[in-house]
Amino acid sequence: MSARGDVRTYSGFRAMTLVCLVVLYSPLIIVTVYSFNASRSITVWEGLSLQWYADVFWGPESGKFKQAAINSFSIALIAATMSTAIATSAATGIVRGGRFRLRTASLGLISLPLMVPEIVTAVATLIFFNFIGFTRGYLTILVAHIAFCIPFAYLPIQARMQGIEDTFEQAAQDLYATKAQAFRRVLLPMMMPGIIAGFLLAFIVSLDDFIITNFVKGAGVETLPTAIFGSVKQGIKPNIMAISTMLLVVSIAMVTISYVVSKKDSST
Amino acid sequence: MAGAAAVGGSVRSETYASARNWLLLPSWAVLGIFVLAPVAMMLVYSFLTKEFRGGVIWEFTLAAYDQFFFDRGLFGDEPAKIEWTYILIFWRSIWQAGLATVLALLIGFPTAYFIATRPAHTRTVWVFLITIPYWVNLLIRTVSMKFLLRDQGPLNDFLLWTGLIDDPIRIINTNAAVQIGLFYSYLPFMVLPIYASVERYNFALSEAAADLYADKWTTLRRIVIPSVRPGIVAGCILVFVPSLGAFLAPDLLGGAKNFMIGSLIEEQFKGNAGNWPFGAAASMILLTLVLIILVFLARQQARAEREATP
């Protein structure tokens, strides 16, 4: 065994992995640390303080951030719910629909937002709303988010459904359940971990989006990323680091939940 | 971007075949109307005449593409010369994205290999550690990088403290800052597909090579890397493609001199100075480039699958 381990491992690869993790995490850790800085200046460290968090909630810009947070979270909640429902329905059609001619085309259409560069989707969506005469604002952001969140919700749902044998639904139908009942009472509960994971991923993707939102938002409507971007253009201020840290915690928490939910289930 | 290869699968059932069209209808409708139709609309707009306050006039013209490739003087009456400005911006984007990809490969390959050779139960934790940063807001990550790389930022402080440098080095607003930013943004995309390939790699091949007196680096070069090539190609494309159209890293880290395609496109739709047909045409050219690369990827993977199942 030891000789075999020798053949497999390369000295230096462990160090490179460490470099990789340091690169990935150090900017995030540093911003988190500096968000607790007591100094007004971002260059000097003057000890721990929560003042920039207080500034986010009660400071001069708190109104702007509050409105942006309400927009961001309500859009993420509605977009994730809608796209998860659409993705669940599509996954059922594709995984449980047998062979059919439009299968590849449907899969291509679903993965389209992943393949087209985000800036191109943004331009196209802006042009489309302009063409049909839709005024840019909250609603245009919401609609665009529902569309591009679909593939992110779809992937874990499809993966989960492919792991479920169809004998369960068939047994239900043999016991005189209708197709709809078999879906709702048997298939849907078994798919739940995939659906939750898909919902959470769609939620984060919507919450994080900057480029598409920036194109379709119109004047006056801001989400957290567009508000942060506007602020950063005038230089990085400590309160931006505090908001960033809070958003970072939300994202990491949701990914962790999504990971735990889908893991827990694959072990049973 | 990971969708093309991941979507689809082998388990098939016909339980809901009769309801199939109704089940697929919502996704067809939403994606057809709000993604596919807009891209078609963008193609149409790229052939229209520009309106000076943003937007278009419905008159068919090739002016946007002409402006992209040719210079006909200030009044458009001189003999056409090649217009280098936009071609150079595209070239710079390809170059920057390429360097970021090479950097990501140099760090990503050893990482992916290392993770794939860990015991099975710790692998998922490693993969999770690599995945987390991807899900953190890209804007926040780019802002963090900007903060880190500043002239008086933590990186310069650290380098001064170690005595490696005597004066702060200027990183922000240089090409290098953009490359670092792109590399940092998409590094997880390099690690994950290579990891998936190395995990399936049969290490008995390495042992056989060692038995035949190949040294380890020869084994890596001649046996391991060719075997996991589909993963390497996928990783490179997954880093290169989003880097090519990136907006945040060049905009926040590169400053005005290090313009890339993303900023060129964005500028056409901001404020009143924009030229919508030109922005649409530049987007179409970017999309065409990306589609060519993705078709190349699909063919590579199809070939790899054919080779794997003789």
Side-chain angles (χ1 to χ4, degrees):
Chain A
M1 274 318 269
S2 67
R4 183 182 163 172
D6 235 4
V7 172
R8 289 165 57 128
T9 55
Y10 287 85
S11 57
F13 279 19
R14 179 190 295 269
M16 287 302 246
T17 307
L18 217 65
V19 170
C20 182
L21 290 177
V22 168
V23 167
L24 286 176
Y25 284 92
S26 58
L28 303 179
I29 292 169
I30 285 169
V31 161
T32 305
V33 169
Y34 272 85
S35 72
F36 294 105
N37 191 355
S39 169
R40 287 203 70 81
S41 152
I42 55 167
T43 44
V44 201
W45 176 260
E46 281 179 13
L48 283 174
S49 153
L50 284 173
Q51 63 167 312
W52 301 115
Y53 288 87
D55 186 77
V56 169
F57 287 104
W58 298 287
E61 290 183 297
S62 62
K64 184 180 94 182
F65 289 135
K66 207 173 288 170
Q67 190 52 48
I70 291 170
N71 288 341
S72 264
F73 280 94
S74 62
I75 286 170
L77 188 67
I78 302 169
T81 309
M82 298 284 289
S83 59
T84 305
I86 293 168
T88 307
S89 162
T92 313
I94 282 177
V95 181
R96 295 291 203 250
R99 283 179 179 281
F100 58 103
R101 208 183 313 147
L102 285 175
R103 191 172 189 275
T104 312
S106 301
L107 284 169
L109 188 60
I110 288 168
S111 44
L112 199 61
L114 299 174
M115 292 189 286
V116 177
E118 222 186 333
I119 190 126
V120 175
T121 310
V123 167
T125 315
L126 169 64
I127 284 174
F128 178 74
F129 284 133
N130 177 68
F131 174 67
I132 61 170
F134 224 76
T135 313
R136 279 181 274 164
Y138 186 90
L139 213 59
T140 49
I141 305 176
L142 181 62
V143 169
H145 280 221
I146 292 172
F148 77 69
C149 283
I150 290 175
F152 292 94
Y154 179 85
L155 289 174
I157 295 172
Q158 177 193 259
R160 174 71 188 149
M161 197 185 274
Q162 281 174 336
I164 303 172
E165 295 288 334
D166 61 2
T167 44
F168 296 103
E169 303 122 72
Q170 279 162 11
Q173 288 183 34
D174 288 345
L175 296 165
Y176 302 103
T178 62
K179 274 191 188 322
Q181 283 172 327
F183 180 79
R184 201 162 46 84
R185 309 283 290 270
V186 179
L187 190 55
L188 201 59
M190 294 181 79
M191 272 162 57
M192 220 19 117
I195 293 175
I196 292 170
F199 173 86
L200 292 172
L201 295 187
F203 189 92
I204 305 174
V205 168
S206 164
L207 194 64
D208 286 0
D209 178 73
F210 169 74
I211 294 177
I212 294 172
T213 311
N214 189 38
F215 269 75
V216 301
K217 74 185 173 65
V221 183
E222 300 283 351
T223 63
L224 281 174
T226 63
I228 292 173
F229 184 79
S231 237
V232 168
K233 277 280 161 187
Q234 284 124 39
I236 303 174
K237 280 172 282 177
N239 59 352
I240 290 302
M241 290 196 260
I243 294 190
S244 299
T245 305
M246 288 188 276
L247 264 179
L248 206 139
V249 170
V250 170
S251 296
I252 292 179
M254 297 196 101
V255 184
T256 311
I257 296 169
S258 153
Y259 172 80
V260 169
V261 166
S262 54
K263 269 275 114 36
K264 197 155 120 198
D265 146 81
S266 61
S267 60
T268 53
Chain B
M1 309 298 302
V7 168
S10 49
V11 175
R12 280 190 190 154
S13 152
E14 299 186 350
T15 331
Y16 289 97
S18 58
R20 185 173 60 215
N21 289 347
W22 289 110
L23 289 166
L24 284 165
L25 189 64
S27 59
W28 286 339
V30 172
L31 292 167
I33 296 171
F34 297 110
V35 181
L36 202 57
V39 172
M41 212 59 239
M42 184 176 77
L43 178 64
V44 172
Y45 266 48
S46 72
F47 291 108
L48 296 181
T49 306
K50 82 165 179 177
E51 162 76 69
F52 281 93
R53 282 165 289 112
V56 290
I57 302 166
W58 280 83
E59 273 169 41
F60 181 85
T61 167
L62 286 168
Y65 292 94
D66 190 79
Q67 185 192 343
F68 191 95
F69 291 108
F70 300 108
D71 174 12
R72 295 178 194 276
L74 197 56
F75 303 103
D77 52 1
E78 292 167 31
K81 291 183 303 225
I82 301 281
E83 165 69 74
W84 290 105
T85 316
Y86 308 115
I87 298 173
L88 277 177
I89 290 175
F90 265 65
W91 172 245
R92 184 190 297 137
S93 306
I94 292 170
W95 175 250
Q96 297 281 62
L99 283 177
T101 307
V102 170
L103 203 56
L105 183 61
L106 287 178
I107 304 271
F109 180 82
T111 305
Y113 186 96
F114 178 77
I115 294 174
T117 50
R118 295 301 91 200
H121 60 279
T122 57
R123 266 181 235 163
T124 49
V125 178
W126 283 102
V127 170
F128 184 56
L129 278 176
I130 299 290
T131 323
I132 283 185
Y134 165 69
W135 293 110
V136 171
N137 196 320
L138 183 60
L139 172 64
I140 290 177
R141 294 168 63 208
T142 312
V143 171
S144 307
M145 202 34 119
K146 189 181 171 80
F147 180 74
L148 184 69
L149 298 178
R150 275 173 316 125
D151 292 355
Q152 281 105 34
L155 183 66
N156 266 319
D157 285 350
F158 177 75
L159 291 175
L160 285 169
W161 177 77
T162 57
L164 284 170
I165 54 172
D166 296 323
D167 295 303
I169 41 173
R170 183 156 191 82
I171 307 172
I172 216 83
N173 293 348
T174 64
N175 279 329
V178 179
Q179 287 147 22
I180 294 171
L182 293 174
F183 151 75
Y184 170 61
S185 301
Y186 304 113
L187 180 57
F189 287 162
M190 181 64 85
V191 178
L192 298 175
I194 298 180
Y195 161 76
S197 279
V198 178
E199 206 195 18
R200 282 197 304 269
Y201 170 69
N202 181 358
F203 281 96
L205 292 174
S206 292
E207 282 168 40
D211 290 344
L212 295 167
Y213 303 104
D215 70 63
K216 286 175 77 169
W217 295 100
T218 310
T219 308
L220 186 71
R221 199 161 44 84
R222 306 275 299 267
I223 312 290
V224 180
I225 290 178
S227 305
V228 301
R229 215 179 62 133
I232 295 177
V233 172
C236 288
I237 287 175
L238 290 178
V239 174
F240 185 78
V241 167
S243 297
L244 199 58
F247 170 72
L248 285 173
D251 191 76
L252 288 173
L253 303 170
K257 275 189 305 189
N258 302 289
F259 224 58
M260 280 175 59
I261 304 173
S263 312
L264 175 69
I265 293 173
E266 205 249 8
E267 209 174 51
Q268 308 307 320
F269 296 93
K270 284 285 136 188
N272 293 329
N275 180 340
W276 283 38
F278 184 73
S283 303
M284 279 313 300
I285 295 168
L286 172 62
L287 182 61
T288 311
L289 257 174
V290 168
L291 290 181
I292 291 171
I293 298 169
L294 290 178
V295 168
F296 169 76
L297 171 69
R299 293 181 57 167
Q300 279 269 324
Q301 295 203 325
R303 209 180 72 187
E305 261 169 49
R306 270 203 309 279
E307 280 167 5
T309 53

